[in-house]
């Protein structure tokens, strides 16, 4: 059937293309010299195929015509514009950009390549932070709105200790951990932030700050000392940023076409063909725009299976604590990717600080089963720590971007004793048991000495199993991994140096590597399996929070501010 329908579809595409040719030829001489793009949020690496919608699920909420909907699409468009001698450059408008450092690096490379083709890049925004400003520095000209702000202030990290506060309201935290760097329980047990937490925070802040200084120094052609002085002088109003040389000028949005040498307002063109339009209008005036012909033989497929958010047993979904990577849902997605004959390889996209040790090991085993059938590459551009890193161990290779958070090989377990709080509010609970350890998970009391011994043994057993998984996957001994473990966290660059990852490159490179291992060169389609958004029961979460459990969770309870991508590692 495909051999019958595909030629027919291509014929219809050709006729549609041909019928529109006279109109495109009429407008060809008026196509804009500058093309406008809007960069906002966190666009994906590649756009997913569009699905038809009845409008009941928000399918009609389309982005603005100028919005960058994927990095791959942006790359293809820039390559098209670079070949057009009539195009002088692009206007890039930034608004609430929230990409991880890996995507920022991709954007910077794309802009540098476009400029290398002899084209001009003008970046404009109402307000930008550290992240947006780094992207703006890759442009020929950086502009802000007169009412704009440049929030260039460096990076800050906040750590919290709730131990004393919980005690005051009658809640006692009882936790056991394996590894002094496994500091997550300290959030609930200590009255003050520990020196180890401070050490971890400062190591990451040092890396990010040094990179910020280096990026701005290269982009603005200033010395590192001058850039540090800039950072220490922030934040800036638009006019003060222009006066200090951080940007190239202040320009109202309505005046942008004139700034780009056009004579009229946005959407108009002068006699010489000057103008500013979004990419759809440019394509509508291009005599022979690119056409996505249907292929008689479909492209080979690369499956992407996300493990995003806190790892839990069951279906997962989203809730008050954010995205939940349910072991049941992830395993189902892995099975589907493994069964699909068209999917020649799998990229396991890990963005998780861990969670349930049991759920993490279930996912690990599922990844290992798929890896026996076809190549699996684990890719990390944000965080793969604790249980997240455990899940990645089933892949043939682990790839991380330089600033990803990797490692945290450690375990903790525990529960909260809320008996004091219940007494304060007049709630009386009586625990009646049969069996010495029947009340081990109860929140009405702490652990008995016998229960403490059992929990400590379970934590140790889980930690040793974690070490075995890592040692086997990385070709090392348990002793070597233990020296890297005990909850220590690494940036992608440092993880590569100690052998916890195999490469520090980007998403597209990881995808090509997966297809290379599958012996499938050339182009390929990408399909995401799983990652659906299901409702998570708040009642179930609250009830489960009182139970003791064993966790392989990211080691620190702190948030890094000023990174631009809103990272929070728990």
């Amino acid at each position: 059937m495909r051999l019958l329908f595909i030629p027919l579809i291509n014929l219809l595409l050709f006729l549609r293309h041909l019928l529109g040719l006279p109109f495109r030829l009429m407008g060809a001489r008026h196509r804009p010299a500058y093309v406008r793009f809007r960069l906002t949020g966190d666009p994906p690496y590649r756009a997913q195929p569009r699905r038809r919608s009845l409008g009941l699920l928000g399918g009609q909420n389309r982005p603005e015509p100028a919005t960058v909907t994927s990095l791959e699409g942006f790359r293809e468009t820039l390559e098209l514009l670079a070949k057009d001698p009539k195009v002088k450059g692009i206007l890039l408008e930034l608004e609430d950009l929230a990409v991880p450092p890996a995507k920022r690096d991709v954007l910077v490379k794309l802009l540098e390549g476009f400029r290398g083709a002899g084209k001009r890049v003008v970046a404009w925004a109402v307000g930008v932070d550290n992240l947006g400003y780094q992207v703006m520095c890759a442009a020929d000209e950086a502009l802000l709105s007169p009412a704009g702000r440049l929030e260039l202030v460096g990076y800050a990290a906040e750590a919290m200790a709730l131990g004393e506060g919980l005690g005051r309201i009658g809640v006692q935290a009882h936790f056991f951990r394996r590894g002094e760097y496994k500091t997550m329980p300290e959030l609930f047990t200590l009255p003050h932030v520990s020196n180890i937490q401070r050490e971890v925070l400062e190591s990451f802040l040092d890396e990010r700050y040094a990179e910020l200084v280096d990026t701005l120094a290269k982009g603005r052609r200033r010395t590192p000392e001058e850039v540090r002085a800039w950072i220490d002088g922030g934040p800036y109003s638009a006019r003060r940023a222009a006066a200090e040389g951080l940007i190239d000028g202040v320009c109202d949005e309505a005046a942008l076409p004139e700034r780009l040498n056009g004579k009229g307002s946005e959407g108009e063109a002068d006699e010489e063909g000057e103008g500013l339009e979004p990419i759809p209008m440019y394509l509508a005036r291009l005599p022979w725009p690119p056409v996505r012909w249907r292929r008689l033989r479909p492209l080979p497929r690369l499956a992407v299976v996300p493990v995003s958010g806190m790892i839990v047993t069951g279906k997962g979904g989203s809730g008050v604590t954010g995205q939940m990577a349910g072991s049941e849902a992830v395993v189902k997605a892995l099975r589907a990717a493994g069964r699909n004959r068209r999917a020649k390889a799998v990229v396991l996209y890990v963005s998780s600080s861990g969670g349930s040790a049991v759920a993490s090991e279930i996912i690990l085993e599922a990844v290992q089963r798929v890896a026996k059938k076809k190549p699996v590459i684990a890719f990390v551009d944000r965080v793969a720590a604790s249980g997240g890193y455990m899940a990645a161990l089933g892949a043939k290779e682990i790839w991380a971007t330089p600033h990803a958070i990797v490692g945290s090989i450690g375990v903790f377990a525990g529960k909260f004793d809320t008996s004091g709080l219940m007494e304060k509010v007049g709630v009386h609970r009586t625990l009646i048991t049969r069996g010495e350890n029947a009340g081990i998970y109860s929140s009405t009391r702490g652990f008995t000495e016998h229960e403490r011994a059992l929990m400590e043994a379970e934590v140790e057993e889980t930690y040793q199993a974690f070490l075995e998984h890592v040692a086997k996957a990385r070709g090392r001994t348990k002793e070597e991994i233990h020296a890297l473990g005990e909850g220590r966290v690494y940036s992608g660059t440092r993880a590569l140096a100690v052998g916890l990852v195999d490469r520090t490159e980007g998403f597209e490179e990881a995808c090509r590597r997966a297809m290379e291992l599958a012996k499938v060169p050339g182009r390929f389609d990408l399909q995401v399996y799983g990652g659906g958004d299901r409702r998570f029961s708040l009642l179930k979460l609250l009830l489960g929070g009182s139970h003791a459990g064993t966790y392989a969770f990211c080691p620190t309870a702190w948030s890094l501010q000023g990174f631009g991508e809103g990272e929070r590692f728990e």
Side-chain angles (χ1 to χ4, degrees):
M1 294 292 288
R2 187 179 181 86
L3 294 177
L4 294 176
F5 281 105
I6 294 303
L8 179 60
I9 293 174
N10 284 335
L11 177 60
L12 293 174
L13 286 172
F14 174 74
L15 291 175
R16 178 184 176 186
H17 192 64
L18 191 62
L19 290 173
L21 179 61
F23 301 97
R24 293 195 300 273
L25 289 174
M26 291 173 58
R29 61 185 297 268
H30 299 294
R31 67 183 186 269
Y34 285 89
V35 178
R36 171 175 168 259
F37 291 92
R38 178 173 176 265
L39 190 58
T40 182
D42 184 10
Y45 289 103
R46 290 197 180 195
Q48 289 299 296
R50 292 182 180 177
R51 295 182 178 179
R52 295 187 179 274
S53 171
L54 296 177
L56 301 177
L57 301 175
Q60 294 183 349
N61 294 330
R62 296 183 178 180
E64 294 182 13
T67 301
V68 175
T69 55
S70 74
L71 300 189
E72 180 67 10
F74 189 42
R75 180 191 64 79
E76 293 174 349
T77 304
L78 291 182
E79 289 179 353
L80 176 67
L81 297 176
K83 297 175 184 178
D84 189 343
K86 189 173 180 61
V87 172
K88 294 183 178 180
I90 65 170
L91 170 69
L92 187 66
E93 298 180 12
L94 285 81
E95 180 181 348
D96 298 327
L97 191 62
V99 297
K103 290 183 179 179
R104 177 208 60 204
D105 292 344
V106 172
L107 289 168
V108 169
K109 289 181 180 179
L110 291 178
L111 296 179
E112 290 175 346
F114 188 67
R115 293 173 61 191
K119 304 297 184 179
R120 183 184 177 204
V121 176
V122 177
W124 180 86
V126 174
V128 289
D129 55 11
N130 297 329
L131 171 67
Y133 186 53
Q134 288 179 81
V135 175
M136 292 187 78
C137 286
D140 294 284
E141 192 172 5
L143 306 174
L144 283 178
S145 166
R149 299 277 298 174
L150 174 55
E151 301 293 339
L152 180 65
V153 293
Y155 298 124
E158 291 185 352
M160 186 180 297
L162 302 177
E164 183 177 345
L166 291 176
R168 289 182 179 181
I169 63 173
V171 176
Q172 297 296 323
H174 301 275
F175 282 91
F176 313 91
R177 65 179 179 179
R178 188 60 172 84
E180 62 178 352
Y181 284 82
K182 199 68 177 177
T183 56
M184 174 62 187
E186 293 181 359
L187 170 64
F188 308 110
T189 59
L190 295 185
H192 303 287
V193 175
S194 69
N195 291 332
I196 290 179
Q197 280 207 38
R198 179 180 293 275
E199 175 188 330
V200 172
L201 286 170
E202 290 184 346
S203 67
F204 282 99
L205 288 174
D206 287 343
E207 286 189 10
R208 292 290 179 93
Y209 182 77
E211 186 214 28
L212 176 64
V213 171
D214 182 63
T215 301
L216 301 189
K218 291 179 179 178
R220 301 300 297 176
R221 296 182 178 83
R222 298 297 181 106
T223 66
E225 291 74 20
E226 290 176 305
V227 172
R228 293 189 190 97
W230 277 353
I231 296 172
D232 291 342
Y236 296 86
S237 66
R239 299 191 186 281
R240 191 163 78 89
E244 296 285 343
L246 282 82
I247 60 174
D248 298 293
V250 176
C251 183
D252 189 79
E253 184 175 7
L256 285 172
E258 183 177 354
R259 179 91 182 198
L260 296 172
N261 298 320
K263 302 299 183 181
S265 62
E266 181 174 343
E268 297 180 352
D270 64 13
E271 295 180 355
E272 297 180 355
E274 302 287 351
L276 174 64
E277 295 281 6
I279 188 65
M281 294 299 296
Y282 167 80
L283 294 175
R285 296 174 179 176
L286 196 63
W288 300 103
V291 179
R292 294 188 179 277
W293 304 105
R294 302 299 188 270
R295 299 172 62 92
L296 285 176
R297 296 185 62 183
L299 290 171
R301 175 176 294 166
L302 172 67
V304 175
V305 178
V307 182
S308 300
M310 179 178 175
I311 297 176
V312 297
T313 56
K315 294 182 179 180
S318 62
V320 292
T321 60
Q323 185 69 22
M324 303 281 183
S327 58
E328 181 180 327
V330 175
V331 170
K332 183 178 179 180
L334 286 166
R335 287 173 178 168
R339 285 194 304 263
N340 193 312
R341 294 183 179 180
R342 187 179 163 195
K344 304 302 181 182
V346 178
V347 168
L348 187 75
Y349 177 77
V350 183
S351 180
S352 173
S353 55
S356 164
V358 173
S360 301
E361 194 156 357
I362 290 172
I363 295 174
L364 168 61
E365 292 173 353
V367 175
Q368 291 171 335
R369 287 194 295 270
V370 175
K372 293 179 180 178
K373 301 178 182 179
K374 54 188 67 175
V376 179
I377 297 292
F379 175 75
V380 187
D381 63 356
R382 285 182 171 87
V383 55
S386 279
Y389 183 67
M390 181 188 292
L393 293 173
K396 183 176 180 62
E397 295 177 2
I398 302 176
W399 288 44
T401 54
H403 291 291
I405 309 298
V406 180
S408 185
I409 303 167
V411 182
F412 73 90
K415 69 173 182 179
F416 295 97
D417 174 8
T418 61
S419 58
L421 175 61
M422 295 299 100
E423 184 177 348
K424 287 177 182 290
V425 297
V427 176
H428 303 283
R429 302 172 67 185
T430 301
L431 178 66
I432 303 172
T433 65
R434 294 296 184 272
E436 185 177 358
N437 302 316
I440 191 171
Y441 301 133
S442 174
S443 62
T444 61
R445 61 170 176 78
F447 294 106
T448 66
E449 288 301 319
H450 185 252
E451 290 169 347
R452 293 180 66 87
L454 289 174
M455 294 299 297
E456 289 174 349
E458 182 178 352
V459 168
E460 181 62 28
E461 180 181 353
T462 305
Y463 179 65
Q464 293 302 322
F466 200 164
L467 292 180
E468 289 177 3
H469 288 310
V470 180
K472 182 178 180 181
R474 306 307 301 169
R476 309 282 283 276
T477 65
K478 283 180 62 176
E479 291 72 23
E480 290 174 321
I481 299 302
H482 172 66
L484 303 174
E486 293 198 282
R488 293 178 177 86
V489 288
Y490 303 86
S491 66
T493 300
R494 285 184 282 140
L496 177 65
V498 299
L500 293 181
V501 302
D502 298 288
R503 298 273 189 93
T504 52
E505 295 188 57
F507 178 75
E508 289 294 332
E509 291 80 6
C511 291
R512 286 195 291 269
R513 174 59 175 167
M515 298 303 279
E516 175 188 320
L517 292 174
K519 297 181 171 58
V520 182
R523 296 176 58 197
F524 56 87
D525 281 337
L526 185 150
Q527 180 172 344
V528 175
Y529 289 77
D533 186 11
R534 297 182 177 87
R535 295 295 179 185
F536 190 76
S537 169
L538 175 59
L539 178 60
K540 181 179 178 181
L541 177 65
L542 294 175
L543 291 176
S546 65
H547 290 174
T550 307
Y551 304 94
F553 211 48
C554 193
T556 50
W558 38 264
S559 62
L560 293 171
Q561 298 180 350
F563 281 6
E565 64 271 19
E567 293 176 323
R568 180 174 177 85
F569 308 115
E570 300 181 350

